[in-house]
Amino acid sequence: MITVVGTGTGAPLTPDARIALGRAGLVVGARRHLAAARLPDAIERITLGPLAPALDAVETYLEKEGQQRRGVVVLASGDPGFFGIVRALADRFGPKLLDVRPGVSSVATAFARLGLPWDDAVVVSAHGRELRTAVQVCRARPKVAVLTAPGAGPAELGAALAAGRAERTLVVATALGYAGHERIVRVTPAEAAGRDWGRAVNLVLCLDERRVLTPARTIGGPAVSPSRWALEEDAFEHRDSMITKFEVRALALARLGPRLGEHVWDIGAGSGSLAVECARFGAAVTAVEKTRDGCERVRANAAAHGVDVRVVHGAAPTVLSDLDDPDAVFVGGGGAELPAIVTACARRARRAVVVSVAALDRVPAARDALVNAGFPADGVLLQSSRLAPLPGEVTRLAAANPVFLLWGARPPARTEGVAR
């Protein structure tokens, strides 16, 4: 067996862990874990650095295990099954060969220090991964734990959130559980960006303090997808029926595919109905609207539905240069500038662009803009009729204005080439 011992956040090794170490012929762990274990000189040990060579060495050792009858112990921080080494070990050697003895994770400890429940938190790792995903999750969700790494730590996370004007509190946790060394620091994103945190940080909590406490839940983890989407128009405040109709929104959402960890632009947001629906699916959303009353309307609709939408006042494509690159874009307005807007959006979208067009004359130019940017373009004319009551308890069909919906999805082979 390979015994995987989670040391907890500064907690001493348990008696069971000591027994496992006493029976081990090989112990694997970080330098600090090996030092704390006080191993006899006769026990072979591997100091973790790059993971692949360590796994190779464990495999070589196990091949002679049948004669020696001595086990392998892997020492890890916290709960090794939670963004830890258990995944790599199970993939290499199979779960049946593992005896996992978890400690308390750093995430659980950090929330405990704040007196907060974390069954509704999202945990995202920026360790060896793109920071942009963590940034979008922090923008979209009110309670996020980010596992950090050098180059993707509190300063970088704070700078990205400050640039996006996200109203968040960052709680930077260092050396959790280690008496005399533990630090819990609360800062704004801008304050985090301006400090040198060194290399010791491995966890940052990102909190929207207005929404940090939620009702009791029966399902752990981030909020599940909404039970309904393509909501009726009266679910949103709007002016003079200037709102993307729910039939159009339904197909637009299907083609956009908004999800947690992604960034969506809603250009010409109007009432913000599409922006709000994308945010309800967990995406971080930036709504661009050229009228001030429209911007206030988007903010009001976002607040009414309990989501966070960044609202940018200005006209596209001019204001787009200041925004972070999107994964998907919905263009719901544009007028004579539509081809230029679609071109600008398509050049920067990592995955998909969807365009809603009311005027037939503008369809060819919008489609050409998608194709010229490398998107295979498709589209449909949506022409629906809704049931409407008549006197005498009878019903008629009331036709809605037809709308062209165009879309383009970046081919998978080209996705890897988009700037990240």
Side-chain angles (χ1 to χ4, degrees), residues 45 93 117 140 294:
R45 66 204 72 192
F93 304 108

Side-chain angles (χ1 to χ4, degrees), residues 266-269 287-292 295 312-323 333-335 337 340-341 344-345:
D266 181 5
I267 308 299
V288 176
E289 171 55 38
K290 65 182 180 181
T291 67
R292 291 193 179 277
C295 289
V312 174
H313 175 234
T318 305
V319 299
L320 303 183
S321 60
D322 296 329
L323 305 183
E337 294 292 319
I341 293 172
C345 292

